[in-house]
Every structure is written in C-alpha cells, then in structure tokens.
Amino acid sequence: MKIFPNIILNFHAIKDPKWFEHILKIIQRLYHPVSYEDIENYYRNGKTLKHACHITFDDRHISFYETVFPLLKQYNIPASIFVSPKVITERTNFWFQEISDYDFNVLNKLVNKRLGITDDDSPVKAKLKSLQIKEIWEIIYAYQEQTQTPPKSCMNMNIQQIKEVHQSGLVHIGAHTLTHPILKNENDDSVQYEIGNSISELSKLLDMPIHSFAYPNGKPGFDFGEREMNILKQHDIRLAFTTEERTLRINDNLMSVPRSGFEGGSTPYIYVKLMSGGNVNWMKKIINKRDEQSYREK
C-alpha cells in the first residue's frame, strides 16, 4: 500500500548488498519509485507526484557500480548519482575516504595543532569539517609523512563505469564539486572554482549539459548559503540537493531540495525513519546523543 509522502533518499557507499536490496523492496512496497526527471517536473512544471520516492547517491563509490547498479536494473528503479569529475579523472579519493582507517589519536593531535587547541572532545571528522579543503589535505599529508602511510588505492568508479551507468538511461548524473569541500568554509574564488569547474568538466566528460548539483555535507545555512545558491543559478543548475531531512514540498527552494540520508539500520529503524519523513533527530534527543553539527557549532 502506497501511503507515505513524496521523499528523496540519499545513500553513499553500500557495504551490505542484502541490506540495500531490502531497502529497494521496502521502497517498492511503500512508494512509487520515480526518476530525476519526475522530480524536476514536479518542481518546475507542476507534475503531480503521489507517494513518490527518488533514490540518490553521492560520491560515486565503487559499490554503486558493483552492487547498486545491478540491483537498480533488476528492480527497474531509477536513481541519481552526484559525482566529482576531478576525482574521477585523477583516480584519487575524497579526504574522508583517505582517512578511513587512520589512527585517529595521531590525526587528532595534528588537527588540534592546526586549530590551536590543546584538548577537545569533538570527533576528528567534525573538526576537519571546520577547515578549508586545502587545510584538510595538508593535515592528511602531514599524517602520511609522520606515520609513513602511503596514499590509498582509488575506491571510486572510473570514467568508463560512469559513462556506462549514464548510458543505461536508468541513472541521472549531477555535479558534486571538484574535491568535496564544505563550501561555506571556502573563499569566493574557491567556491566559484569548485562549483563552476565541476559542472563544466562533468559536462565535457559526459558530453551533455549538467543541470543538477548536490552540496557536499549539505546542511542549508551551515554547509552552504545564498552565495553558493546564486553561483549555481549562474551555471544553469535547475535543482540543487541538500541533506535537510524531510519530505518534499511543492514550494521548496529549487536550490535547496531536501534529501533524507540512509547509511544503515535495522528494518524497524528504516520504517520509523520513513514514517518520520526521513528525520529522526527527535530520537537522538531522547537518547541524548549529540549529532555532528552540534560539535561543529561548538
């Protein structure tokens, strides 16, 4: 029975194929899966959507090609993926992928030194997200030199794989900056470069105009603001996607479309989150669990 309001779900790397297949079955049971084009027509042309769900992915981790794409074809469910062309062409990793197995005690000391603090209970990633992208990589390079840690092999899809999913007709592709900075931390020139070049380079790579974008991290007013939205409009972006967790409204800002993140969880948790419109911050308050944004605000 289709009962839930229109929603966009967002994923990143998929670690458990069975878990994701289970999600697809839940989506088919509770929603009408729709394409990016349906979402754009809903916002721009007044298309009626009822109990609609669109699936998106950020960062183009290799699991999208190896796990997600075959399942999308099997269940005939459309999706969108937001990618960074610089990371594709240079076969590198995003900063958060590079530090995934680092000794966070060592890394934390380097971060605290950069921030000029001696002791802090904030998670390392939250502190890194308060820095510009060049500073984050300077810390990573310092860690690699100090610990004799080599750069990781690329964890992401290559050019041929990106083109294959694009040519399938099932997957819409949009831009996601060049190097995944928190845009609000960057200066004007850096933001223009990250947004504008990600759109133009992806357009050349796929030989098509790019009209969609997803903000790294993506909290409205916290990770991006009016400056970024205005730049996107200048580059003919029609829809820009956030990580604001709620259902869709016809009067949403086209440069601030909400998406609800799903990174795991049991079946009861999934149903609770969907019934809550994708937002379970109330659960965190009940158990007195601080989220990353509260640490970053501190």
Side-chain angles (χ1 to χ4, degrees), residues 10 36-37 40 54-60 64 79-86 88 94 157 162 165-166 170-178 180 194-203 205-206 208-216 232 235-241 259:
N10 189 45
Y36 166 83
E37 289 73 21
E40 184 176 316
H54 182 55
I55 301 172
T56 69
F57 288 79
D58 288 353
D59 305 335
R60 62 101 186 167
F64 182 87
S80 293
I81 182 171
F82 296 94
V83 303
S84 301
K86 181 180 175 68
I88 295 172
F94 294 103
M157 295 164 62
I162 289 288
V165 301
H166 164 61
L170 199 62
V171 180
H172 169 85
I173 298 180
H176 195 45
T177 72
L178 287 175
H180 209 285
E194 285 282 349
I195 291 177
N197 284 45
S198 72
I199 295 166
S200 61
E201 290 186 20
L202 186 59
S203 178
L205 185 67
L206 299 178
M208 58 172 276
I210 300 299
H211 294 302
S212 62
F213 182 91
Y215 301 97
L232 289 169
H235 288 278
D236 199 24
I237 291 298
R238 296 173 183 171
L239 295 181
F241 296 87
R259 295 184 298 169

Short mmCIF file of all heavy atoms in Angstrom, two decimals, residues 10 36-37 40 54-60 64 79-86 88 94 157 162 165-166 170-178 180 194-203 205-206 208-216 232 235-241 259:
data_model
loop_
_atom_site.label_atom_id
_atom_site.label_comp_id
_atom_site.label_asym_id
_atom_site.label_seq_id
_atom_site.Cartn_x
_atom_site.Cartn_y
_atom_site.Cartn_z
N ASN A 10 18.89 9.50 0.23
CA ASN A 10 20.28 9.65 -0.18
C ASN A 10 21.16 8.60 0.49
O ASN A 10 21.03 8.33 1.68
CB ASN A 10 20.81 11.04 0.17
CG ASN A 10 22.17 11.29 -0.44
OD1 ASN A 10 22.40 10.99 -1.61
ND2 ASN A 10 23.09 11.84 0.32
N TYR A 36 14.80 11.22 -11.73
CA TYR A 36 15.17 12.63 -11.53
C TYR A 36 14.28 13.54 -12.36
O TYR A 36 13.84 14.60 -11.89
CB TYR A 36 16.63 12.86 -11.91
CG TYR A 36 16.95 14.33 -12.06
CD1 TYR A 36 17.26 15.11 -10.95
CD2 TYR A 36 16.87 14.96 -13.30
CE1 TYR A 36 17.49 16.47 -11.05
CE2 TYR A 36 17.11 16.33 -13.43
CZ TYR A 36 17.41 17.07 -12.31
OH TYR A 36 17.63 18.42 -12.43
N GLU A 37 14.00 13.13 -13.59
CA GLU A 37 13.16 13.95 -14.46
C GLU A 37 11.78 14.18 -13.86
O GLU A 37 11.20 15.27 -13.99
CB GLU A 37 13.05 13.29 -15.84
CG GLU A 37 14.32 13.32 -16.67
CD GLU A 37 15.41 12.37 -16.18
OE1 GLU A 37 15.06 11.39 -15.46
OE2 GLU A 37 16.59 12.59 -16.51
N GLU A 40 12.24 16.86 -11.20
CA GLU A 40 12.39 18.19 -11.82
C GLU A 40 11.05 18.68 -12.34
O GLU A 40 10.69 19.86 -12.17
CB GLU A 40 13.41 18.15 -12.96
CG GLU A 40 13.65 19.52 -13.56
CD GLU A 40 14.72 19.55 -14.63
OE1 GLU A 40 15.79 18.92 -14.44
OE2 GLU A 40 14.49 20.21 -15.67
N HIS A 54 12.47 9.07 -4.81
CA HIS A 54 13.62 9.07 -5.72
C HIS A 54 14.87 8.74 -4.91
O HIS A 54 15.04 9.23 -3.79
CB HIS A 54 13.77 10.41 -6.41
CG HIS A 54 14.91 10.44 -7.38
ND1 HIS A 54 15.04 9.53 -8.42
CD2 HIS A 54 16.00 11.26 -7.47
CE1 HIS A 54 16.13 9.79 -9.10
NE2 HIS A 54 16.74 10.83 -8.55
N ILE A 55 15.74 7.91 -5.47
CA ILE A 55 16.96 7.47 -4.80
C ILE A 55 18.15 8.23 -5.36
O ILE A 55 18.30 8.34 -6.59
CB ILE A 55 17.18 5.96 -5.00
CG1 ILE A 55 16.00 5.16 -4.46
CG2 ILE A 55 18.47 5.51 -4.33
CD1 ILE A 55 16.08 3.69 -4.80
N THR A 56 18.99 8.75 -4.49
CA THR A 56 20.22 9.42 -4.92
C THR A 56 21.42 8.85 -4.19
O THR A 56 21.30 8.28 -3.09
CB THR A 56 20.16 10.94 -4.68
OG1 THR A 56 20.20 11.20 -3.27
CG2 THR A 56 18.90 11.55 -5.27
N PHE A 57 22.59 9.04 -4.80
CA PHE A 57 23.87 8.62 -4.22
C PHE A 57 24.88 9.74 -4.42
O PHE A 57 24.93 10.36 -5.48
CB PHE A 57 24.40 7.36 -4.91
CG PHE A 57 23.64 6.11 -4.56
CD1 PHE A 57 22.43 5.83 -5.17
CD2 PHE A 57 24.13 5.22 -3.62
CE1 PHE A 57 21.72 4.69 -4.85
CE2 PHE A 57 23.42 4.07 -3.30
CZ PHE A 57 22.22 3.81 -3.91
N ASP A 58 25.68 9.98 -3.40
CA ASP A 58 26.77 10.95 -3.50
C ASP A 58 28.11 10.24 -3.54
O ASP A 58 28.28 9.18 -2.90
CB ASP A 58 26.74 11.90 -2.31
CG ASP A 58 25.59 12.89 -2.36
OD1 ASP A 58 24.88 12.93 -3.38
OD2 ASP A 58 25.39 13.63 -1.37
N ASP A 59 29.04 10.81 -4.29
CA ASP A 59 30.48 10.48 -4.24
C ASP A 59 30.94 9.38 -5.19
O ASP A 59 32.14 9.17 -5.31
CB ASP A 59 30.94 10.09 -2.82
CG ASP A 59 30.61 11.15 -1.78
OD1 ASP A 59 30.48 12.32 -2.17
OD2 ASP A 59 30.50 10.79 -0.61
N ARG A 60 30.06 8.63 -5.82
CA ARG A 60 30.37 7.58 -6.81
C ARG A 60 31.39 6.54 -6.30
O ARG A 60 32.31 6.15 -7.00
CB ARG A 60 30.77 8.19 -8.14
CG ARG A 60 32.02 9.08 -8.16
CD ARG A 60 33.22 8.39 -8.68
NE ARG A 60 34.43 9.20 -8.58
CZ ARG A 60 35.63 8.70 -8.75
NH1 ARG A 60 35.80 7.42 -9.00
NH2 ARG A 60 36.70 9.47 -8.65
N PHE A 64 28.61 1.58 -5.90
CA PHE A 64 27.47 1.92 -6.74
C PHE A 64 27.49 1.08 -8.01
O PHE A 64 26.46 0.54 -8.43
CB PHE A 64 27.47 3.41 -7.12
CG PHE A 64 26.27 3.80 -7.95
CD1 PHE A 64 25.09 4.16 -7.34
CD2 PHE A 64 26.32 3.76 -9.34
CE1 PHE A 64 23.97 4.49 -8.10
CE2 PHE A 64 25.21 4.07 -10.11
CZ PHE A 64 24.03 4.44 -9.48
N ALA A 79 17.61 6.14 -10.50
CA ALA A 79 18.36 6.78 -9.42
C ALA A 79 19.17 7.94 -9.98
O ALA A 79 19.31 8.09 -11.20
CB ALA A 79 19.29 5.77 -8.74
N SER A 80 19.71 8.74 -9.09
CA SER A 80 20.66 9.80 -9.45
C SER A 80 21.95 9.58 -8.68
O SER A 80 21.94 9.08 -7.56
CB SER A 80 20.11 11.19 -9.10
OG SER A 80 18.99 11.52 -9.88
N ILE A 81 23.05 9.97 -9.31
CA ILE A 81 24.35 9.92 -8.64
C ILE A 81 25.06 11.25 -8.86
O ILE A 81 25.06 11.78 -9.98
CB ILE A 81 25.19 8.72 -9.14
CG1 ILE A 81 26.52 8.66 -8.38
CG2 ILE A 81 25.39 8.73 -10.64
CD1 ILE A 81 27.30 7.37 -8.65
N PHE A 82 25.64 11.79 -7.80
CA PHE A 82 26.32 13.08 -7.87
C PHE A 82 27.81 12.86 -7.68
O PHE A 82 28.23 12.28 -6.67
CB PHE A 82 25.73 14.03 -6.82
CG PHE A 82 24.28 14.34 -7.10
CD1 PHE A 82 23.27 13.60 -6.50
CD2 PHE A 82 23.94 15.33 -8.00
CE1 PHE A 82 21.94 13.86 -6.78
CE2 PHE A 82 22.61 15.60 -8.30
CZ PHE A 82 21.60 14.86 -7.69
N VAL A 83 28.59 13.31 -8.66
CA VAL A 83 30.00 12.93 -8.73
C VAL A 83 30.90 14.15 -8.86
O VAL A 83 30.47 15.24 -9.26
CB VAL A 83 30.24 11.96 -9.91
CG1 VAL A 83 29.36 10.73 -9.79
CG2 VAL A 83 30.00 12.65 -11.24
N SER A 84 32.17 13.93 -8.55
CA SER A 84 33.21 14.96 -8.66
C SER A 84 34.15 14.58 -9.79
O SER A 84 34.92 13.62 -9.66
CB SER A 84 33.97 15.08 -7.34
OG SER A 84 33.10 15.42 -6.28
N PRO A 85 34.12 15.29 -10.91
CA PRO A 85 34.90 14.87 -12.08
C PRO A 85 36.41 14.84 -11.86
O PRO A 85 37.11 14.01 -12.45
CB PRO A 85 34.52 15.90 -13.15
CG PRO A 85 33.96 17.06 -12.39
CD PRO A 85 33.32 16.49 -11.18
N LYS A 86 36.93 15.71 -11.02
CA LYS A 86 38.37 15.72 -10.75
C LYS A 86 38.82 14.41 -10.11
O LYS A 86 39.86 13.85 -10.45
CB LYS A 86 38.73 16.90 -9.84
CG LYS A 86 40.21 17.04 -9.51
CD LYS A 86 40.43 18.25 -8.61
CE LYS A 86 41.87 18.36 -8.14
NZ LYS A 86 42.79 18.69 -9.26
N ILE A 88 37.28 11.59 -10.48
CA ILE A 88 37.12 10.55 -11.49
C ILE A 88 38.35 10.49 -12.39
O ILE A 88 38.94 9.43 -12.59
CB ILE A 88 35.87 10.81 -12.35
CG1 ILE A 88 34.61 10.71 -11.51
CG2 ILE A 88 35.81 9.81 -13.52
CD1 ILE A 88 33.36 11.14 -12.25
N PHE A 94 38.38 10.87 -1.99
CA PHE A 94 37.97 12.02 -1.20
C PHE A 94 38.72 11.98 0.12
O PHE A 94 39.17 10.93 0.58
CB PHE A 94 36.47 11.99 -0.95
CG PHE A 94 35.64 12.14 -2.19
CD1 PHE A 94 35.03 11.03 -2.76
CD2 PHE A 94 35.48 13.37 -2.78
CE1 PHE A 94 34.25 11.16 -3.90
CE2 PHE A 94 34.70 13.52 -3.92
CZ PHE A 94 34.10 12.41 -4.49
N MET A 157 34.51 4.82 -8.72
CA MET A 157 34.27 4.43 -10.10
C MET A 157 35.20 5.16 -11.06
O MET A 157 35.61 6.29 -10.81
CB MET A 157 32.81 4.72 -10.46
CG MET A 157 31.80 3.91 -9.69
SD MET A 157 30.12 4.57 -9.79
CE MET A 157 29.79 4.44 -11.55
N ILE A 162 31.39 5.28 -15.07
CA ILE A 162 30.48 6.42 -15.01
C ILE A 162 29.70 6.54 -16.32
O ILE A 162 28.48 6.74 -16.33
CB ILE A 162 31.26 7.72 -14.73
CG1 ILE A 162 31.79 7.74 -13.29
CG2 ILE A 162 30.38 8.95 -15.00
CD1 ILE A 162 30.73 7.93 -12.24
N VAL A 165 26.94 3.70 -16.63
CA VAL A 165 25.70 3.90 -15.89
C VAL A 165 24.90 5.05 -16.48
O VAL A 165 23.66 5.02 -16.50
CB VAL A 165 25.96 4.11 -14.37
CG1 VAL A 165 26.67 2.91 -13.77
CG2 VAL A 165 26.72 5.38 -14.09
N HIS A 166 25.59 6.06 -16.98
CA HIS A 166 24.91 7.18 -17.63
C HIS A 166 24.17 6.72 -18.88
O HIS A 166 23.00 7.07 -19.11
CB HIS A 166 25.93 8.26 -17.99
CG HIS A 166 25.44 9.27 -18.97
ND1 HIS A 166 24.36 10.09 -18.72
CD2 HIS A 166 25.88 9.60 -20.22
CE1 HIS A 166 24.16 10.88 -19.76
NE2 HIS A 166 25.05 10.59 -20.68
N LEU A 170 18.99 4.70 -16.93
CA LEU A 170 18.36 4.50 -15.62
C LEU A 170 18.92 5.43 -14.56
O LEU A 170 18.29 5.67 -13.54
CB LEU A 170 18.56 3.04 -15.18
CG LEU A 170 17.64 2.47 -14.10
CD1 LEU A 170 16.19 2.48 -14.57
CD2 LEU A 170 18.07 1.04 -13.75
N VAL A 171 20.11 5.98 -14.83
CA VAL A 171 20.83 6.75 -13.81
C VAL A 171 21.08 8.18 -14.31
O VAL A 171 21.73 8.38 -15.35
CB VAL A 171 22.16 6.08 -13.44
CG1 VAL A 171 22.89 6.91 -12.40
CG2 VAL A 171 21.92 4.67 -12.93
N HIS A 172 20.59 9.14 -13.57
CA HIS A 172 20.87 10.55 -13.83
C HIS A 172 22.16 10.93 -13.11
O HIS A 172 22.40 10.49 -11.99
CB HIS A 172 19.71 11.42 -13.32
CG HIS A 172 20.01 12.88 -13.31
ND1 HIS A 172 19.85 13.68 -14.41
CD2 HIS A 172 20.47 13.68 -12.31
CE1 HIS A 172 20.18 14.92 -14.11
NE2 HIS A 172 20.57 14.95 -12.83
N ILE A 173 22.98 11.78 -13.74
CA ILE A 173 24.25 12.17 -13.12
C ILE A 173 24.32 13.69 -12.98
O ILE A 173 24.05 14.44 -13.92
CB ILE A 173 25.44 11.66 -13.95
CG1 ILE A 173 25.42 10.14 -14.01
CG2 ILE A 173 26.77 12.15 -13.34
CD1 ILE A 173 26.55 9.52 -14.79
N GLY A 174 24.69 14.13 -11.78
CA GLY A 174 24.85 15.54 -11.49
C GLY A 174 26.20 15.81 -10.85
O GLY A 174 26.96 14.89 -10.53
N ALA A 175 26.51 17.08 -10.64
CA ALA A 175 27.81 17.50 -10.12
C ALA A 175 27.81 17.56 -8.59
O ALA A 175 26.76 17.72 -7.96
CB ALA A 175 28.20 18.85 -10.71
N HIS A 176 29.04 17.48 -8.04
CA HIS A 176 29.20 17.40 -6.58
C HIS A 176 30.49 18.09 -6.14
O HIS A 176 31.17 17.63 -5.23
CB HIS A 176 29.21 15.92 -6.18
CG HIS A 176 29.01 15.64 -4.72
ND1 HIS A 176 28.04 16.27 -3.96
CD2 HIS A 176 29.64 14.78 -3.88
CE1 HIS A 176 28.10 15.80 -2.72
NE2 HIS A 176 29.07 14.91 -2.64
N THR A 177 30.83 19.22 -6.78
CA THR A 177 32.10 19.95 -6.64
C THR A 177 33.26 19.12 -7.19
O THR A 177 33.08 17.97 -7.59
CB THR A 177 32.41 20.37 -5.18
OG1 THR A 177 32.77 19.21 -4.40
CG2 THR A 177 31.24 21.09 -4.55
N LEU A 178 34.46 19.72 -7.15
CA LEU A 178 35.65 19.02 -7.64
C LEU A 178 36.30 18.16 -6.57
O LEU A 178 36.72 17.03 -6.84
CB LEU A 178 36.67 20.04 -8.17
CG LEU A 178 36.36 20.71 -9.50
CD1 LEU A 178 37.40 21.77 -9.80
CD2 LEU A 178 36.30 19.70 -10.63
N HIS A 180 35.14 18.08 -2.98
CA HIS A 180 34.29 17.85 -1.81
C HIS A 180 34.65 18.73 -0.61
O HIS A 180 34.76 18.25 0.53
CB HIS A 180 34.34 16.38 -1.39
CG HIS A 180 33.11 15.88 -0.72
ND1 HIS A 180 32.78 16.21 0.58
CD2 HIS A 180 32.10 15.09 -1.14
CE1 HIS A 180 31.66 15.62 0.92
NE2 HIS A 180 31.21 14.94 -0.11
N GLU A 194 35.26 25.49 -7.45
CA GLU A 194 34.74 24.17 -7.11
C GLU A 194 33.40 23.88 -7.80
O GLU A 194 33.18 22.79 -8.32
CB GLU A 194 34.57 24.03 -5.60
CG GLU A 194 35.86 23.86 -4.83
CD GLU A 194 36.41 22.45 -4.90
OE1 GLU A 194 35.68 21.55 -5.37
OE2 GLU A 194 37.56 22.24 -4.50
N ILE A 195 32.52 24.86 -7.81
CA ILE A 195 31.21 24.66 -8.42
C ILE A 195 31.29 24.73 -9.94
O ILE A 195 30.86 23.81 -10.64
CB ILE A 195 30.20 25.69 -7.88
CG1 ILE A 195 29.89 25.42 -6.40
CG2 ILE A 195 28.90 25.65 -8.70
CD1 ILE A 195 28.95 26.43 -5.76
N GLY A 196 31.83 25.84 -10.45
CA GLY A 196 31.84 26.05 -11.90
C GLY A 196 32.61 24.98 -12.65
O GLY A 196 32.12 24.44 -13.67
N ASN A 197 33.79 24.63 -12.17
CA ASN A 197 34.60 23.64 -12.88
C ASN A 197 34.04 22.23 -12.75
O ASN A 197 34.20 21.41 -13.65
CB ASN A 197 36.05 23.69 -12.38
CG ASN A 197 36.80 24.89 -12.92
OD1 ASN A 197 36.26 25.99 -12.92
ND2 ASN A 197 38.01 24.69 -13.39
N SER A 198 33.38 21.94 -11.63
CA SER A 198 32.78 20.61 -11.51
C SER A 198 31.68 20.43 -12.55
O SER A 198 31.52 19.35 -13.14
CB SER A 198 32.23 20.38 -10.09
OG SER A 198 31.07 21.14 -9.84
N ILE A 199 30.93 21.49 -12.79
CA ILE A 199 29.84 21.42 -13.77
C ILE A 199 30.40 21.34 -15.18
O ILE A 199 29.99 20.49 -16.00
CB ILE A 199 28.91 22.64 -13.61
CG1 ILE A 199 28.20 22.57 -12.25
CG2 ILE A 199 27.89 22.71 -14.75
CD1 ILE A 199 27.52 23.87 -11.84
N SER A 200 31.36 22.21 -15.50
CA SER A 200 31.90 22.23 -16.87
C SER A 200 32.70 20.97 -17.20
O SER A 200 32.58 20.42 -18.30
CB SER A 200 32.78 23.47 -17.08
OG SER A 200 33.88 23.47 -16.18
N GLU A 201 33.50 20.47 -16.25
CA GLU A 201 34.29 19.28 -16.51
C GLU A 201 33.42 18.03 -16.62
O GLU A 201 33.69 17.15 -17.45
CB GLU A 201 35.35 19.10 -15.42
CG GLU A 201 36.46 20.14 -15.49
CD GLU A 201 37.58 19.87 -14.51
OE1 GLU A 201 37.71 18.71 -14.05
OE2 GLU A 201 38.32 20.82 -14.20
N LEU A 202 32.38 17.94 -15.80
CA LEU A 202 31.47 16.81 -15.90
C LEU A 202 30.70 16.86 -17.22
O LEU A 202 30.45 15.82 -17.85
CB LEU A 202 30.51 16.80 -14.72
CG LEU A 202 29.58 15.58 -14.60
CD1 LEU A 202 30.37 14.28 -14.50
CD2 LEU A 202 28.65 15.74 -13.39
N SER A 203 30.35 18.06 -17.64
CA SER A 203 29.66 18.22 -18.92
C SER A 203 30.52 17.73 -20.08
O SER A 203 30.04 17.03 -20.98
CB SER A 203 29.28 19.69 -19.12
OG SER A 203 28.66 19.89 -20.38
N LEU A 205 32.98 15.54 -19.84
CA LEU A 205 33.19 14.11 -19.64
C LEU A 205 32.03 13.29 -20.21
O LEU A 205 32.24 12.25 -20.85
CB LEU A 205 33.36 13.82 -18.15
CG LEU A 205 33.70 12.39 -17.73
CD1 LEU A 205 35.09 12.01 -18.21
CD2 LEU A 205 33.60 12.24 -16.22
N LEU A 206 30.81 13.78 -20.00
CA LEU A 206 29.62 13.04 -20.43
C LEU A 206 29.03 13.56 -21.74
O LEU A 206 28.07 12.99 -22.26
CB LEU A 206 28.54 13.10 -19.34
CG LEU A 206 28.91 12.48 -17.99
CD1 LEU A 206 27.78 12.67 -17.00
CD2 LEU A 206 29.25 11.01 -18.15
N MET A 208 27.29 16.30 -22.35
CA MET A 208 25.91 16.72 -22.15
C MET A 208 25.87 17.86 -21.16
O MET A 208 26.80 18.02 -20.35
CB MET A 208 25.07 15.56 -21.61
CG MET A 208 25.58 14.99 -20.29
SD MET A 208 24.48 13.78 -19.53
CE MET A 208 23.36 14.88 -18.66
N PRO A 209 24.84 18.70 -21.19
CA PRO A 209 24.71 19.76 -20.18
C PRO A 209 24.44 19.15 -18.81
O PRO A 209 23.78 18.11 -18.70
CB PRO A 209 23.51 20.58 -20.67
CG PRO A 209 23.26 20.15 -22.07
CD PRO A 209 23.76 18.75 -22.19
N ILE A 210 24.93 19.80 -17.77
CA ILE A 210 24.70 19.37 -16.40
C ILE A 210 23.78 20.40 -15.73
O ILE A 210 24.10 21.58 -15.67
CB ILE A 210 26.02 19.25 -15.61
CG1 ILE A 210 26.93 18.22 -16.28
CG2 ILE A 210 25.75 18.88 -14.16
CD1 ILE A 210 26.38 16.81 -16.34
N HIS A 211 22.64 19.93 -15.23
CA HIS A 211 21.64 20.84 -14.66
C HIS A 211 21.31 20.52 -13.20
O HIS A 211 20.36 21.08 -12.66
CB HIS A 211 20.37 20.80 -15.50
CG HIS A 211 20.54 21.34 -16.89
ND1 HIS A 211 20.97 22.61 -17.16
CD2 HIS A 211 20.36 20.74 -18.11
CE1 HIS A 211 21.03 22.81 -18.46
NE2 HIS A 211 20.67 21.69 -19.06
N SER A 212 22.05 19.61 -12.58
CA SER A 212 21.76 19.26 -11.19
C SER A 212 23.05 19.22 -10.39
O SER A 212 24.14 18.99 -10.93
CB SER A 212 21.02 17.93 -11.09
OG SER A 212 21.82 16.88 -11.59
N PHE A 213 22.90 19.39 -9.07
CA PHE A 213 24.07 19.52 -8.19
C PHE A 213 23.67 19.05 -6.80
O PHE A 213 22.52 19.23 -6.37
CB PHE A 213 24.51 20.99 -8.16
CG PHE A 213 25.73 21.27 -7.32
CD1 PHE A 213 27.00 21.23 -7.88
CD2 PHE A 213 25.61 21.61 -5.98
CE1 PHE A 213 28.12 21.52 -7.11
CE2 PHE A 213 26.72 21.88 -5.21
CZ PHE A 213 27.98 21.83 -5.78
N ALA A 214 24.61 18.46 -6.08
CA ALA A 214 24.41 18.11 -4.67
C ALA A 214 25.53 18.74 -3.85
O ALA A 214 26.71 18.61 -4.20
CB ALA A 214 24.37 16.61 -4.47
N TYR A 215 25.17 19.41 -2.77
CA TYR A 215 26.16 20.07 -1.90
C TYR A 215 26.90 19.04 -1.06
O TYR A 215 26.27 18.17 -0.45
CB TYR A 215 25.46 21.04 -0.95
CG TYR A 215 24.67 22.14 -1.61
CD1 TYR A 215 23.29 22.01 -1.78
CD2 TYR A 215 25.28 23.30 -2.05
CE1 TYR A 215 22.54 23.01 -2.37
CE2 TYR A 215 24.53 24.32 -2.64
CZ TYR A 215 23.17 24.17 -2.80
OH TYR A 215 22.43 25.17 -3.39
N PRO A 216 28.23 19.14 -0.97
CA PRO A 216 28.96 18.30 -0.01
C PRO A 216 28.48 18.57 1.41
O PRO A 216 28.31 19.73 1.81
CB PRO A 216 30.41 18.74 -0.20
CG PRO A 216 30.48 19.26 -1.60
CD PRO A 216 29.15 19.93 -1.81
N LEU A 232 25.22 28.66 -8.39
CA LEU A 232 24.59 27.54 -9.10
C LEU A 232 23.60 28.04 -10.14
O LEU A 232 23.53 27.51 -11.25
CB LEU A 232 23.91 26.61 -8.10
CG LEU A 232 24.85 25.79 -7.22
CD1 LEU A 232 24.06 25.11 -6.10
CD2 LEU A 232 25.58 24.74 -8.04
N HIS A 235 25.19 29.06 -13.27
CA HIS A 235 25.66 27.95 -14.10
C HIS A 235 24.51 27.07 -14.60
O HIS A 235 24.73 25.93 -15.00
CB HIS A 235 26.68 27.12 -13.31
CG HIS A 235 28.00 27.79 -13.13
ND1 HIS A 235 28.97 27.79 -14.10
CD2 HIS A 235 28.49 28.52 -12.09
CE1 HIS A 235 30.03 28.47 -13.67
NE2 HIS A 235 29.75 28.93 -12.45
N ASP A 236 23.31 27.62 -14.59
CA ASP A 236 22.13 26.96 -15.16
C ASP A 236 21.79 25.65 -14.45
O ASP A 236 21.33 24.69 -15.08
CB ASP A 236 22.33 26.71 -16.67
CG ASP A 236 21.01 26.48 -17.39
OD1 ASP A 236 19.96 26.93 -16.88
OD2 ASP A 236 21.01 25.81 -18.44
N ILE A 237 22.05 25.61 -13.15
CA ILE A 237 21.61 24.45 -12.36
C ILE A 237 20.12 24.62 -12.06
O ILE A 237 19.69 25.67 -11.59
CB ILE A 237 22.43 24.34 -11.05
CG1 ILE A 237 23.87 23.94 -11.38
CG2 ILE A 237 21.79 23.31 -10.11
CD1 ILE A 237 24.03 22.59 -12.07
N ARG A 238 19.36 23.57 -12.32
CA ARG A 238 17.91 23.64 -12.15
C ARG A 238 17.47 23.16 -10.77
O ARG A 238 16.53 23.71 -10.20
CB ARG A 238 17.24 22.80 -13.23
CG ARG A 238 17.50 23.34 -14.64
CD ARG A 238 16.96 22.39 -15.70
NE ARG A 238 17.28 22.87 -17.04
CZ ARG A 238 17.08 22.15 -18.15
NH1 ARG A 238 16.56 20.92 -18.05
NH2 ARG A 238 17.39 22.65 -19.33
N LEU A 239 18.15 22.12 -10.26
CA LEU A 239 17.85 21.62 -8.92
C LEU A 239 19.17 21.37 -8.20
O LEU A 239 20.09 20.77 -8.76
CB LEU A 239 17.05 20.32 -8.96
CG LEU A 239 15.63 20.35 -9.53
CD1 LEU A 239 15.01 18.95 -9.45
CD2 LEU A 239 14.75 21.36 -8.84
N ALA A 240 19.25 21.81 -6.95
CA ALA A 240 20.42 21.53 -6.11
C ALA A 240 19.94 20.84 -4.84
O ALA A 240 18.98 21.30 -4.20
CB ALA A 240 21.16 22.81 -5.77
N PHE A 241 20.61 19.76 -4.47
CA PHE A 241 20.12 18.87 -3.42
C PHE A 241 20.94 19.02 -2.13
O PHE A 241 22.16 19.12 -2.16
CB PHE A 241 20.16 17.43 -3.90
CG PHE A 241 19.22 17.17 -5.06
CD1 PHE A 241 19.63 17.40 -6.36
CD2 PHE A 241 17.92 16.76 -4.83
CE1 PHE A 241 18.77 17.18 -7.43
CE2 PHE A 241 17.04 16.54 -5.89
CZ PHE A 241 17.47 16.76 -7.19
N ARG A 259 16.79 16.00 1.11
CA ARG A 259 17.01 14.55 0.96
C ARG A 259 17.25 13.96 2.33
O ARG A 259 17.91 14.56 3.17
CB ARG A 259 18.24 14.26 0.09
CG ARG A 259 18.15 14.69 -1.35
CD ARG A 259 19.38 14.27 -2.13
NE ARG A 259 20.60 14.88 -1.60
CZ ARG A 259 21.84 14.53 -1.96
NH1 ARG A 259 22.01 13.55 -2.83
NH2 ARG A 259 22.87 15.15 -1.45
#
